[in-house]
Amino acid sequence: AQKVTQAQTEISVVEKEDVTLDCVYETRDTTYYLFWYKQPPSGELVFLIRRNSFDEQNEISGRYSWNFQKSTSSFNFTITASQVVDSAVYFCALKLTGGGNKLTFGTGTQLKVEL
Amino acid sequence: GAGVSQTPSNKVTEKGKYVELRCDPISGHTALYWYRQSLGQGPEFLIYFQGTGAADDSGLPNDRFFAVRPEGSVSTLKIQRTERGDSAVYLCASSTRSTGELFFGEGSRLTVL
């Protein structure tokens, strides 16, 4: 069975600080997909990124960057120069190939960015 | 609207009652998913539909839970004889067949007293 662990329950930072959210996953499959979702107070999960297991290239999108390390089964998410609008719960998720979009989510990290 | 729509947004019911939660997916999305999110937890998969049929219902906790999607668009999640442990936010999501991106609704918060 697969599992996603987000050990950081809550992180508080001051605006403009960089922050990294950790994600560690477990699966016996060699082919899989990893995701990050943002859940603002409205409750609607917002897709941020999808990465397949064959692509270990790091990705940057504006202030967001992701570091995928297959050797340590980690898929960490960094926000550079954090802003108050980044405050939300962030979820890491794993999907095996096949089976539609049946995702296994971690328990989430609550990020609070303060002025 | 263009997004996934869920109704009601909030539902309070008494233990033992029957509840229906509705999801209207993004137009043209063939796949529809139900997830359940308890307080402080990540969403947990319940069931997914490809068209009208349930492709995977392995996440439904027991036979009190049932979902339908009769015309391949709107879906209804039905919970019989509700229990206090059913209290959670029920999230619906849809996607096209070929992409991995799920578009979620804002959820239906169910409270069983």
Side-chain angles (χ1 to χ4, degrees):
Chain A
Q2 57 274 13
K3 184 179 178 183
V4 176
T5 301
Q6 294 181 256
Q8 302 151 308
T9 305
E10 186 173 320
I11 300 176
S12 289
V13 298
V14 176
E15 202 175 38
K16 297 183 184 177
E17 284 186 13
D18 298 348
V19 58
T20 295
L21 309 181
D22 298 334
C23 173
V24 174
Y25 62 92
E26 296 175 31
T27 179
R28 292 183 179 178
D29 284 39
T30 55
T31 305
Y32 48 88
Y33 294 87
L34 295 163
F35 299 78
W36 276 94
Y37 280 84
K38 175 181 180 179
Q39 188 174 43
S42 64
E44 183 178 343
L45 283 147
V46 177
F47 169 84
L48 296 178
I49 189 171
R50 176 183 65 167
R51 175 64 51 160
N52 77 53
S53 54
F54 294 110
D55 183 1
E56 288 194 69
Q57 193 169 19
N58 291 331
E59 182 156 341
I60 298 174
S61 176
R63 296 184 297 107
Y64 296 170
S65 63
W66 291 270
N67 183 298
F68 178 27
Q69 300 253 344
K70 214 168 177 179
S71 60
T72 56
S73 298
S74 65
F75 186 45
N76 296 338
F77 172 32
T78 297
I79 302 175
T80 303
S82 60
Q83 299 176 2
V84 172
V85 294
D86 295 327
S87 297
V89 181
Y90 290 86
F91 290 96
C92 180
L94 169 71
K95 177 185 115 65
L96 304 182
T97 54
N101 277 313
K102 183 178 175 181
L103 271 60
T104 298
F105 284 85
T107 52
T109 298
Q110 169 85 57
L111 174 64
K112 294 184 179 179
V113 182
E114 299 165 335
L115 292 170
Chain B
V4 176
S5 176
Q6 291 188 247
T7 55
S9 54
N10 274 288
K11 175 71 176 178
V12 180
T13 191
E14 293 179 343
K15 181 175 178 293
K17 298 290 188 183
Y18 170 80
V19 166
E20 288 191 353
L21 306 175
R22 175 190 165 106
C23 173
D24 198 343
I26 293 172
S27 177
H29 280 192
T30 57
L32 184 146
Y33 297 77
W34 285 98
Y35 283 79
R36 177 168 73 172
Q37 186 175 19
S38 300
L39 191 62
Q41 301 296 313
E44 293 179 305
F45 170 81
L46 294 177
I47 184 172
Y48 102 88
F49 291 87
Q50 187 61 51
T52 60
D56 185 341
D57 65 357
S58 61
L60 294 177
N62 52 59
D63 60 8
R64 295 187 297 105
F65 288 75
F66 189 70
V68 295
R69 195 186 185 199
E71 297 177 357
S73 178
V74 171
S75 175
T76 304
L77 178 66
K78 307 180 181 194
I79 310 173
Q80 298 177 323
R81 304 184 302 281
T82 51
E83 299 177 357
R84 292 194 180 87
D86 298 335
S87 296
V89 176
Y90 290 81
L91 296 166
C92 179
S94 67
S95 72
T96 60
R97 191 186 184 101
S98 60
T99 72
E101 181 176 351
L102 280 175
F103 293 84
F104 282 85
E106 292 188 351
S108 291
R109 181 177 297 279
L110 174 65
T111 303
V112 182
L113 301 176

